[in-house]
Amino acid sequence: MSDNNSEHLHMNIPKYIGIFMILVVGTIATYFAATVDMDRFFPGANTLVALLIAFTKMTFVMLFFMHVYWSKRLIWLAAVGSFFWLAIMFAYTMQDYLTRGSGTFSG
Amino acid sequence: MSTHETSDKFVYHEPGLQHQFEDMGQQEESVSIGMWMFLVQEILFFGGLFTAYLVFRSKYPMAFAAGSNHLDAFWGGLNTLVLIVSSLTMALTVYYAQKSNRSMQVIMIVLTMFFGATFLGVKAIEYTDKYNHGLIPVAGLNKKIKDDKAAHETGHEKPCWEVDHNAPAVEHPNPRGDFQWTDCSLVKLAQDKNFLTESEKIGYFVKDENGGDRIDANKFRDKVRIFFFLYFVMTGLHALHMIVGLGLMLWLLWTAFRGHYTSEYYMPVEMSGLYWHFVDIVWIFLFPLLYLLGRHFLH
Amino acid sequence: MNAQTAITEGHADTPKGNYLTNGSTLASWLLTKDHKRIAIMYLISVSVFFMMGGLYAATIRLELLTPASDLVETATYNKVFTQHGILMIFFFLIPSIPAILGNFLLPLMIGAKDLALPRINLISLYIYWLGGGLTLFALMQGGVDTGWTFYTPYSTTFSNSFVMFVGLGIFINGFSSILTGLNFIVTIHTMRAPGMTWFRMPLFVWAHYATSLVMILGTPVVAITVLLLAIERATHVGIFDPSIGGDPILFQHMFWFYSHPAVYIMILPGMGVISELISNFSRKKVFGYEFIAFSSIAIAVFGFLVWGHHMFVSGQSIYAGMVFSFLTMVVAVPSAIKMFNWTATLYKGSISFDTPMLYALGFMGLFLIGGLTGLFLGAIGLTVHLTDTYFVVAHFHYVMVGGQVIAYLGGIHYWWPKMTGRMYSEFWGKISAMLVFVGFNLTFFPQFILGYQGMPRRYAAYPEELQVLNIFSTAGASVLGIGLIMPAIYLTHSLIFGKKAGDNPWMHPGLEWRTSSPPPTENFDVMPVVTWEAYEFGEESGLDLEGAKRRDAASIA
Ligand code: HEM
Ligand SMILES: [Cu+2]
């Protein structure tokens, strides 16, 4: 971090605008993807696509707008780790809901 | 770090250096780690809501789809774009601070605030719309509509699964301002196509006289209400974060205007930027998860 | 700020003061950014909550002296145990070691002038006061009766007590804990003195790093949970109400996602203290430093994977129960590693039985029992019999009181000379340490048996045949109470009449002992440069034992 001053070298206005355009395209894509019935391929496909786009958008915001790309390892760890923790919360909660009263242990 | 001349009597302090640090590098690192830890905390804070969302959505997907179809994807999408623009201007604020360009900093902060305020304005429009249509999940907080017969004809006699959800919204009588929901066509659809979940088979139906299952409008309404509850809590907390962000921007505007930030010292700008982008990211997820569920049923 | 700048700017001619004498007005305390003063204010506030919680505990034990519910009405009894739990857990145990000892010692131990974010530190104290104040206000209005776990739908729909206010108090208080954790993490990353590498840090610091992780990753979730609870209670939308499609078990998931890790907030700092005490009073380098350090981190991480062991009988799926049961067994491993290493540290050490060491040894025995009974409860078959009985009550008191509170007392005694510059009476110290140990066991050991015999928790009355053990328990509580009141007296007494402690009364090598007692506001006169490993008792640590003894003798004389 002490060589913070070199940070402006990494991004310039065209690059910022480029990232911005990606985000706009992502938003529009999200909308149109939702109007197509992809759930007929497998349940949840629509949501999956929506989330994939959202994650991509988030990655761009984090890496370039929030400068994570040029940050220390600890910052990377914080960014990735917090989502890992969310994943823990989701996964371990759902492993309960998805196995209620089913399989070998039912009844 | 750049060194400064030191007099023999005093250790020279760089502008903004706090006493507990040895130099600016240490301070900047501390502040940035601190801000990131704060964001981690924020992510888990919203994460609790997303867990609740996940659980209820997986239990009652049709209720969520139905509720979501009554959110206005146009306003939601517009707001997404508005926030993205504000994120761009925020990023540029940092950029101009790094360039020591005071006037552009100020312009960019003003733009950021403008778009932030626009976002909140749009939210206000949406909330008002929900208020008018009896979609606020709390009894008594919706617009109270007298029980005149004109509205009576339109949909009430039909069973709830035959309501045409593409029809223009009608104002149902709502004398006590309750949460109102009359449309369970999606349940019918899912029942016909046989993709109701186990909890939905229990959650939306009652036994009729012949021992068969009949869709129950009230039970379905309760599940849709949960969707709207989550919608309001999630977007409400998000809006609260926006308001805090605007306060932050106001302070930033003042200090930037006074010329506090240069390529030497722009930590506050960068940190406020992190916060602003974080709030943007939350919305990036809220938009598809709240506004776009079951869109394809509308077409 | 001005006074502080003057000090940073290093006027050699400023008279040598310490943090206690640097300003005596109320404002100099309330507006201070000095981590040591904030720690002292925490000490006082936390003690107030401890005392109030203790009064509730006394009421519980008195009520349970007889089988009938005669001292208080059953409805009142519900409030009494709820408020006991809430005050003790959220307002005493969670801030106890981190906010007092951690706050005071972390910068000293790593050679920093202060925590990295002193203003945030002060804000966290104010938030604590705000949350605590709100909770006390609610208690005076009539209190809550939901149990400290706030299970829905009782808390949202049926209870007519002040759930909202208390929930809000806990919500607010949570941010105090988050900010403390945040501050510690930043401080440990950026404020270490030259030469203070990660593996030279005292284990106390490692433990606080792990604790802070839990605080940051867990506390926001409970904050949002009680917020949802409060909204649900206010609006009755029904997300937690099963009769209209809500899901009470979701509440339990979200609550325990924090509250199981929170039990590690309540034990990790204690383990940190014990690592210091065991090593220092054996005058021996701690055995397996890296193992103890990493086991703290492992506890913090794996602690997030086991919350479902509180929900075995709540309607969670059996499959999930088995997974959580298995992981519960796994998470006991890092705790066991610590126990083994401490024991190995004692082996062939030159042990001295000063008061803090008595507490440390007490901790080892009690935490052992507490942890092992945790395994009983984590075994999915056994717990069906034991859950919601006094066995659980005994288990968590063995870890929370036998563990954390005893470690806290040990730590307070150990660092008291550093914090105040005075030595307490060793005689009374030892007496009270032994009273606490005996009283504690007498109080809680019978509860294991009671629970095993089927006495349920949270009832004001119980069958006649269980009375004998309950009398033991109440008698023990009286002894414990006396043991806990005594330190309050002789420690306060020592503030004025205690003999001067000297800079390093224990002759220990840690950085905190290499500055004056009490330390100056900036902690060290010159920035220390660390050239020795942690717990290095020999000459190589640069610790001039002979010189220190001479100096101390002179300063005391
Ligand atoms: C060695 C590791 C530990 C294991 C395996 C363990 C296991 C368990 C289990 C399975 C329960 C649930 C009992 C039931 O309700 O049936 C429980 C309850 C509890 N434990 Fe532990 N525990 C451990 C350590 C701790 C520690 C270190 C603390 C606190 C410092 C703690 C505090 C509690 C509390 C407060 C409860 C009761 C919660 C309630 O009110 O229902 N435990 N423990
Ligand atoms: Cu647990």
Side-chain angles (χ1 to χ4, degrees):
Chain A
M1 231 347 95
S2 52
D3 56 348
N4 228 331
N5 289 342
S6 57
E7 222 171 60
H8 11 178
L9 302 178
H10 298 304
M11 288 293 280
N12 51 30
I13 293 191
K15 281 190 194 163
Y16 275 122
I17 305 265
I19 306 291
F20 167 71
M21 289 317 291
I22 295 177
L23 296 177
V24 172
V25 171
T27 307
I28 296 171
T30 313
Y31 178 78
F32 284 104
T35 58
V36 183
D37 181 8
M38 286 180 276
D39 280 356
R40 65 167 173 261
F41 302 123
F42 60 93
N46 270 88
T47 310
L48 188 70
V49 171
L51 284 180
L52 282 181
I53 299 176
F55 263 102
T56 318
K57 285 165 76 181
M58 178 189 79
T59 313
F60 277 106
V61 173
M62 295 239 276
L63 287 184
F64 302 108
F65 281 5
M66 298 170 88
H67 303 177
V68 172
Y69 192 84
W70 300 279
S71 296
K72 295 196 130 193
R73 241 193 12 231
L74 180 70
I75 306 293
W76 282 83
L77 203 67
V80 176
S82 46
F83 284 96
F84 180 69
W85 244 259
L86 277 191
I88 292 180
M89 181 161 41
F90 295 162
Y92 279 80
T93 307
M94 287 320 281
Q95 65 140 3
D96 167 21
Y97 283 96
L98 297 180
T99 55
R100 289 273 175 86
S102 64
T104 331
F105 308 117
S106 66
Chain B
M1 250 4 268
S2 51
T3 47
H4 293 262
E5 77 277 34
T6 44
S7 75
D8 49 5
K9 186 102 190 267
F10 295 106
V11 180
Y12 178 75
H13 272 197
E14 293 170 82
L17 179 65
Q18 308 221 328
H19 79 102
Q20 71 272 25
F21 298 114
E22 295 301 312
D23 57 37
M24 267 331 246
Q26 191 187 22
Q27 170 163 332
E28 287 176 359
E29 189 176 353
S30 302
V31 172
S32 118
I33 296 177
M35 189 64 199
W36 273 97
M37 289 303 138
F38 178 75
L39 292 186
V40 169
Q41 178 281 126
E42 286 277 26
I43 289 175
L44 278 131
F45 186 73
F46 277 99
L49 287 176
F50 280 99
T51 310
Y53 173 93
L54 178 65
V55 166
F56 283 118
R57 164 111 190 260
S58 69
K59 278 178 137 181
Y60 308 122
M62 282 304 124
F64 270 54
S68 174
N69 283 345
H70 277 245
L71 297 182
D72 197 322
F74 168 73
W75 286 124
L78 181 75
N79 252 352
T80 316
L81 293 177
V82 166
L83 266 195
I84 289 176
V85 181
S86 81
S87 252
L88 175 69
T89 55
M90 186 68 238
L92 291 178
T93 312
V94 180
Y95 174 78
Y96 285 116
Q98 290 168 335
K99 292 252 168 196
S100 308
N101 185 336
R102 186 180 75 111
S103 45
M104 283 309 280
Q105 266 178 66
V106 170
I107 292 176
M108 285 301 156
I109 296 174
V110 171
L111 282 177
T112 312
M113 292 180 69
F114 169 74
F115 289 114
T118 310
F119 178 92
L120 288 175
V122 171
K123 276 255 73 79
I125 296 177
E126 288 188 74
Y127 282 179
T128 316
D129 181 62
K130 301 291 159 296
Y131 167 80
N132 286 333
H133 289 98
L135 290 178
I136 293 182
V138 184
L141 290 191
N142 289 287
K143 187 168 157 194
K144 299 190 169 68
I145 300 171
K146 286 255 170 51
D147 192 0
D148 61 345
K149 52 237 154 314
H152 246 286
E153 329 284 280
T154 39
H156 255 222
E157 282 74 38
K158 279 192 198 166
C160 72
W161 53 91
E162 280 172 20
V163 175
D164 177 10
H165 55 243
N166 281 325
V170 264
E171 294 204 332
H172 299 293
N174 191 358
R176 279 172 307 151
D178 288 330
F179 178 79
Q180 285 202 325
W181 194 265
T182 49
D183 165 9
C184 22
S185 49
L186 279 186
V187 181
K188 187 77 182 148
L189 184 84
Q191 192 186 22
D192 294 342
K193 294 198 175 165
N194 202 13
F195 54 79
L196 286 172
T197 64
E198 290 303 315
S199 13
E200 284 181 305
K201 285 178 193 159
I202 302 165
Y204 305 158
F205 294 88
V206 287
K207 291 265 176 273
D208 61 17
E209 308 77 51
N210 319 324
D213 288 328
R214 180 168 52 78
I215 301 175
D216 183 83
N218 288 340
K219 285 181 83 175
F220 186 62
R221 180 204 56 210
D222 288 342
K223 315 303 185 285
V224 179
R225 188 166 53 201
I226 290 178
F227 170 80
F228 278 98
F229 177 82
L230 288 174
Y231 165 79
F232 274 102
V233 175
M234 291 170 115
T235 57
L237 271 182
H238 178 266
L240 208 63
H241 277 79
M242 290 291 296
I243 293 171
V244 172
L246 281 179
L248 217 57
M249 288 296 135
L250 208 59
W251 166 74
L252 214 56
L253 182 65
W254 174 242
T255 43
F257 180 74
R258 305 262 310 266
H260 278 261
Y261 307 120
T262 62
S263 59
E264 290 285 297
Y265 175 70
Y266 57 87
M267 246 354 211
V269 189
E270 174 141 4
M271 293 305 110
S272 314
L274 288 182
Y275 176 82
W276 194 268
H277 295 309
F278 164 77
V279 179
D280 183 21
I281 287 177
V282 175
W283 186 261
I284 287 180
F285 282 91
L286 288 184
F287 173 54
L289 289 179
L290 292 174
Y291 286 81
L292 298 181
L293 303 178
R295 269 297 126 181
H296 53 268
F297 293 131
L298 285 180
H299 293 265
Chain C
M1 191 66 210
N2 289 336
Q4 275 165 346
T5 349
I7 290 167
T8 8
E9 288 174 355
H11 295 286
D13 48 345
T14 30
K16 192 168 183 294
N18 63 49
Y19 79 99
L20 291 169
T21 55
N22 180 14
S24 57
T25 58
L26 190 61
S28 78
W29 281 89
L30 291 182
L31 299 178
T32 184
K33 281 177 255 149
D34 182 354
H35 64 105
K36 299 181 287 301
R37 287 194 160 202
I38 296 177
I40 297 296
M41 287 190 279
Y42 259 119
L43 173 64
I44 295 166
S45 341
V46 164
S47 304
V48 171
F49 281 104
F50 189 33
M51 255 145 54
M52 297 188 47
L55 288 180
Y56 283 119
T59 316
I60 297 177
R61 275 327 314 167
L62 284 177
E63 165 59 51
L64 293 180
L65 197 54
T66 55
S69 121
D70 35 20
L71 179 66
V72 292
E73 286 180 31
T74 46
T76 317
Y77 182 78
N78 291 348
K79 290 187 174 172
V80 170
F81 73 71
T82 301
Q83 284 151 198
H84 165 68
I86 288 173
L87 291 183
M88 285 300 198
I89 288 184
F90 294 108
F91 297 98
F92 167 65
L93 214 49
I94 287 181
S96 64
I97 296 184
I100 299 170
L101 293 174
N103 231 335
F104 195 96
L105 293 163
L106 214 69
L108 286 169
M109 283 182 163
I110 62 176
K113 285 187 200 147
D114 202 325
L115 287 173
L117 310 167
R119 236 173 310 177
I120 302 269
N121 197 17
L122 184 62
I123 292 175
S124 94
L125 174 64
Y126 280 117
I127 296 180
Y128 173 75
W129 281 342
L130 189 65
L134 199 59
T135 307
L136 290 186
F137 171 75
L139 297 198
M140 279 182 300
Q141 295 301 302
V144 263
D145 62 354
T146 58
W148 77 280
T149 48
F150 294 105
Y151 270 15
T152 53
Y154 180 71
S155 58
T156 46
T157 313
F158 302 108
S159 165
N160 64 45
S161 57
F162 290 77
V163 180
M164 285 260 279
F165 274 120
V166 177
L168 234 48
I170 289 170
F171 175 81
I172 294 172
N173 183 48
F175 290 95
S176 144
S177 159
I178 291 173
L179 291 182
T180 304
L182 186 154
N183 218 337
F184 285 176
I185 290 195
V186 176
T187 305
I188 295 171
H189 272 283
T190 64
M191 304 294 280
R192 280 169 289 124
M196 176 55 81
T197 61
W198 282 85
F199 290 101
R200 281 177 176 170
M201 293 192 312
L203 289 165
F204 181 85
V205 179
W206 274 98
H208 275 77
Y209 190 82
T211 311
S212 307
L213 282 179
V214 182
M215 285 171 162
I216 288 185
L217 292 166
T219 318
V221 178
V222 81
I224 195 73
T225 310
V226 293
L227 190 65
L228 280 180
L229 183 89
I231 300 179
E232 165 72 6
R233 192 171 160 85
T235 64
H236 294 295
V237 171
I239 49 164
F240 295 136
D241 182 354
S243 67
I244 47 176
D247 191 337
I249 298 181
L250 172 66
F251 174 84
Q252 298 183 17
H253 275 299
M254 291 172 69
F255 181 82
W256 289 115
F257 179 85
Y258 164 75
S259 291
H260 180 79
V263 308
Y264 294 114
I265 299 181
M266 301 182 241
I267 195 69
L268 278 168
M271 292 169 157
V273 171
I274 297 304
S275 299
E276 298 294 309
L277 297 184
I278 296 277
S279 173
N280 282 332
F281 285 98
S282 315
R283 305 202 75 77
K284 193 168 158 241
K285 194 172 164 58
V286 76
F287 183 86
Y289 173 97
E290 285 86 357
F291 281 91
I292 299 190
F294 281 120
S295 68
S296 291
I297 307 291
I299 289 179
V301 173
F302 290 115
F304 276 94
L305 302 178
V306 302
W307 77 80
H309 65 212
H310 296 272
M311 301 165 56
F312 285 144
V313 299
S314 74
Q316 156 185 267
S317 91
I318 295 182
Y319 166 80
M322 287 177 44
V323 172
F324 281 128
S325 176
F326 172 74
L327 290 168
T328 301
M329 305 294 146
V330 174
V331 81
V333 173
S335 305
I337 290 179
K338 283 180 192 284
M339 289 296 295
F340 292 137
N341 283 302
W342 290 327
T343 320
T345 309
L346 289 175
Y347 181 66
K348 288 200 170 157
S350 55
I351 301 174
S352 51
F353 294 94
D354 296 296
T355 310
M357 187 60 165
L358 291 187
Y359 280 111
L361 295 174
F363 174 100
M364 287 182 64
L366 301 179
F367 180 72
L368 183 70
I369 299 181
L372 286 178
T373 51
L375 290 179
F376 289 29
L377 291 168
I380 191 164
L382 206 48
T383 203
V384 175
H385 175 60
L386 296 176
T387 190
D388 271 328
T389 67
Y390 260 81
F391 195 91
V392 177
V393 176
H395 153 68
F396 66 71
H397 281 91
Y398 262 80
V399 273
M400 303 211 290
V401 182
Q404 180 88 336
V405 176
I406 291 227
Y408 167 71
L409 290 173
I412 290 282
H413 283 87
Y414 179 50
W415 283 292
W416 189 256
K418 183 51 66 183
M419 295 167 83
T420 65
R422 302 289 178 152
M423 207 63 192
Y424 51 85
S425 148
E426 184 66 24
F427 172 76
W428 288 110
K430 279 185 175 142
I431 300 268
S432 95
M434 283 186 280
L435 281 183
V436 167
F437 185 82
V438 171
F440 174 83
N441 278 299
L442 191 55
T443 312
F444 291 104
F445 200 84
Q447 298 186 358
F448 281 124
I449 307 171
L450 283 169
Y452 192 78
Q453 292 177 343
M455 176 169 165
R457 64 191 285 207
R458 296 182 169 167
Y459 284 88
Y462 56 86
E464 301 270 347
E465 53 268 37
L466 299 178
Q467 190 177 12
V468 176
L469 287 171
N470 271 301
I471 290 177
F472 275 122
S473 187
T474 302
S478 327
V479 179
L480 180 58
I482 294 171
L484 289 175
I485 291 171
M486 277 169 49
I489 298 171
Y490 64 77
L491 287 180
T492 318
H493 177 266
S494 79
L495 284 179
I496 301 150
F497 303 104
K499 62 179 192 313
K500 286 244 164 48
D503 293 351
N504 191 355
W506 314 109
M507 299 297 147
H508 286 165
L511 250 181
E512 78 269 30
W513 300 112
R514 297 178 193 233
T515 180
S516 46
S517 305
T521 300
E522 295 281 320
N523 289 349
F524 298 95
D525 293 334
V526 281
M527 160 81 96
V529 177
V530 182
T531 53
W532 59 90
E533 303 299 314
Y535 313 109
E536 215 44 281
F537 281 85
E539 288 297 319
E540 61 269 38
S541 77
L543 185 65
D544 177 9
L545 286 183
E546 292 310 312
K549 271 191 196 127
R550 249 180 287 117
R551 263 203 325 278
D552 278 355
S555 78
I556 289 163

